[in-house]
Amino acid sequence: MKVLQFLFTSSIGRKVLMALTGLFLILFLVIHLMGNLQLLKHDEGYAFNKYAWFMTSNPLIKTVSYLLYATILLHAFKGLYLVFANRKARGAKSYGSYNGNANSHWTSRNMGILGTLILAFIIGHMSDFWWEYKFGDIPWTKYETSITDESTMVTDITSENHGVHIRMGVAGDKEVFITKDLYKETVEAFEEGWLVALYLLAMAAIAFHLWHGFSSAFQTLGMNHPRWNPLINGLGKAFSILVPLGFAIIPLYVYLLK
Amino acid sequence: MGSEAMKINLKVWRQPNSKAEGKFETYQLNEVSPDMSFLEMFDVLNEQLITDGGEPVAFDHDCREGICGMCSMFINGRPHGPKQGITTCQLHMRSFKDGDTIVVEPWRAQSFPVIKDLSVDRSAFDRIIASGGFVSVNTGNAVDANSILIPKDTADEAFAAATCIGCGACVAACKNSSAMLFVSAKVSQLSLLPQGKAERENRVIAMVDQMDKEGFGSCTNTGACSAECPKEIDLSNIARMNREYVRAKLVSK
Ligand code: HEM
Ligand code: SF4
Ligand code: FES
């Protein structure tokens, strides 16, 4: 592991670590969004709950999710460390007048603040949904899907004796799926206007973080080439708008239309 | 030249020595020609200060034609003032308007301590060069021009990187006070060419280590350095240095 020590001890190494963790988080956003978009389906949460169950029970995915938590922590704490170390490099006295807008984009100069907003959101988000889903008091639902005509009967079984495990099985000509209803939990959360507003603010922070961060990660990793730069920059700008927008559509849809 | 003389108000950082606190002082110049360079305007200010029995403003300068890199002045929030691709000595007063107030400060970086007024100590750059910014083989007599073939593109890139004059505007402009543009220009200039390639791993590691030791910040890729660089050194040099550095760390013995 000695060869990788530089990732923690040198200025360039630390930056490479930020870029690698940042790109991993970007990849994660795509997967997360694909899951979330199932909230828009008109199936009373069947697909979304099945997806949530899969994501929390599959051993491979569970391993990746622990890697993800470590990545977020590493990215956030290394990032904040860099912000403070970099501020210190200015010295005891700073400028009386500093015109940053003349030479750089404000997002690039405020990655720490944008990141802190995202971190605050992640903490709130994890306690709202992840903690609730794992340990909280959340509604239970039974889906009975006919194997012959694929019609589904949905029953709220929160007040019944539903057991502790999410499970799926076949009874007669029906597939029975008994699950914690994260769909309902989410939809109810998004009926709160203030929560939707906070969620949108966080998506804006991610958008601005990636407006700079996406292409910046490639530059950090040494990928700067006249033939590829337009593609990377274009992809970065498109990603930073479309992905947060994709996330934002869900609470907006729930709040405005349901 | 027939152009109207201008009134200029100056807010200049005054600091008697490296230990002193320092503060802004305000001065007024009533007869500034638009054709003066910014440094000539400071000469006029200093004449006026000396006549009035005051202490002239200390500022660095040497060539006054944009090649030595000495004239470090942070003008209205930007190194070398409002124009792109020039040094302070190449900035003319016609870039300002009659009645303007101009704020002039020294470069601000922990690694560039103020010596006096606007003059800062940039020997950190010299120590970075001394750590590896050279080719250590004895080259002997000049050889035939084409005995070592170098593709034109490569020669051009190396030459573009070699135009860096070590002025430190990149550090001054950067919100992180990072010296990555300067160091990457030197690393690129040498490692692109066959004579420099032989020592590329040792060089990049030594120079980056020294850069970190001097206390410069790290790079966030804001691009401020390149936008303010009088020689318009390209950000691709930083990408190249990162590549060289990671490669050296992973493969060198
Ligand atoms: C959705 C989650 C996030 C994603 C996808 C993400 C992505 C990125 C990317 C791609 C970069 C550019 C890396 C580079 O310049 O090489 C970056 C930089 C940065 N991120 Fe994040 N990030 C996320 C969350 C956070 C959080 C929670 C923080 C913590 C407070 C944070 C703080 C930073 C900082 C400070 C930088 C700039 C580092 C520097 O100065 O070079 N980010 N991020
Ligand atoms: S890279 Fe540009 S700004 Fe930095 S020292 Fe060299 S010439 Fe000056
Ligand atoms: S005095 Fe030499 S570059 Fe300005």
Side-chain angles (χ1 to χ4, degrees), chain A residues 222-240:
Chain A
M223 283 175 250
N224 180 323
H225 189 288
R227 198 177 304 148
W228 295 100
N229 289 352
L231 181 70
I232 292 172
N233 294 337
L235 210 62
K237 302 299 179 228
F239 188 99
S240 67

Side-chain angles (χ1 to χ4, degrees), chain A residues 10-19 79 82-83 85-86 89 108-109 111 212 216-217 219-221, chain B residues 170 174-182 184 208 211-212 216-226 234-239 241-242:
Chain A
S10 81
S11 56
I12 294 182
R14 292 194 185 103
K15 269 309 313 250
V16 167
L17 198 63
M18 285 305 286
L82 282 175
V83 169
N86 287 337
S108 73
R109 298 192 308 274
M111 292 299 275
H212 171 70
S216 175
Q219 159 80 7
T220 299
L221 295 176
Chain B
C170 40
C174 175
K175 79 164 181 75
N176 303 335
S177 311
S178 166
M180 295 272 281
L181 194 65
F182 165 76
S184 71
V208 170
M211 170 181 89
D212 290 351
F216 291 105
S218 67
C219 178
T220 303
N221 304 324
T222 69
C225 52
S226 184
D234 198 78
L235 282 181
S236 61
N237 289 295
I238 296 184
M241 173 167 73
N242 291 0

Side-chain angles (χ1 to χ4, degrees), chain A:
Chain A
M1 280 289 110
K2 193 146 182 286
V3 278
L4 294 181
Q5 219 170 26
F6 75 98
L7 290 176
F8 296 89
T9 53
S10 81
S11 56
I12 294 182
R14 292 194 185 103
K15 269 309 313 250
V16 167
L17 198 63
M18 285 305 286
L20 291 175
T21 50
L23 286 176
F24 184 65
L25 294 178
I26 283 176
L27 196 65
F28 152 75
L29 285 182
V30 179
I31 312 281
H32 192 0
L33 178 60
M34 291 193 317
N36 282 17
L37 286 175
Q38 300 183 66
L39 283 163
L40 296 177
K41 278 195 175 170
H42 288 278
D43 64 353
E44 302 197 44
Y46 176 81
F48 182 74
N49 281 327
K50 214 161 121 183
Y51 158 80
W53 181 43
F54 173 72
M55 292 307 264
T56 46
S57 56
N58 180 297
L60 187 67
I61 304 231
K62 262 167 113 170
T63 315
V64 175
S65 66
Y66 289 119
L67 187 65
L68 175 70
Y69 305 145
T71 304
I72 292 175
L73 290 176
L74 198 61
H75 183 86
F77 287 103
K78 266 273 134 93
L80 292 176
Y81 166 86
L82 282 175
V83 169
F84 288 105
N86 287 337
R87 191 168 301 163
K88 206 177 127 229
R90 180 103 288 155
K93 270 249 158 33
S94 189
Y95 290 111
S97 98
Y98 181 78
N99 185 359
N101 286 329
N103 52 38
S104 52
H105 199 265
W106 69 267
T107 51
S108 73
R109 298 192 308 274
N110 292 285
M111 292 299 275
I113 290 168
L114 293 168
T116 307
L117 286 176
I118 301 173
L119 187 65
F121 168 75
I122 293 176
I123 293 169
H125 186 64
M126 293 287 279
S127 58
D128 261 9
F129 296 118
W130 180 82
W131 180 268
E132 283 297 312
Y133 185 65
K134 290 231 150 168
F135 311 110
D137 225 359
I138 109 165
W140 279 77
T141 294
K142 178 158 79 176
Y143 299 92
E144 290 166 292
T145 311
S146 156
I147 290 169
T148 44
D149 62 2
E150 302 211 332
S151 64
T152 302
M153 199 172 84
V154 185
T155 334
D156 183 343
I157 54 167
T158 312
S159 53
E160 293 169 29
N161 181 14
H162 46 60
V164 290
H165 291 296
I166 298 172
R167 56 203 181 271
M168 183 180 270
V170 180
D173 63 346
K174 286 200 180 106
E175 178 214 73
V176 181
F177 178 32
I178 294 177
T179 182
K180 291 187 186 177
D181 198 343
L182 189 60
Y183 172 80
K184 195 178 268 170
E185 178 84 3
T186 310
V187 169
E188 278 169 9
F190 287 156
E191 277 157 9
E192 303 274 1
W194 63 272
L195 199 78
V196 172
L198 278 184
Y199 194 96
L200 294 182
L201 183 75
M203 291 312 112
I206 293 182
F208 288 125
H209 198 72
L210 294 183
W211 184 259
H212 171 70
F214 191 104
S215 57
S216 175
F218 287 87
Q219 159 80 7
T220 299
L221 295 176
M223 283 175 250
N224 180 323
H225 189 288
R227 198 177 304 148
W228 295 100
N229 289 352
L231 181 70
I232 292 172
N233 294 337
L235 210 62
K237 302 299 179 228
F239 188 99
S240 67
I241 295 171
L242 294 179
V243 170
L245 195 66
F247 280 108
I249 283 174
I250 298 159
L252 279 177
Y253 176 78
V254 172
Y255 185 71
L256 298 175
L257 297 175
K258 283 212 172 158

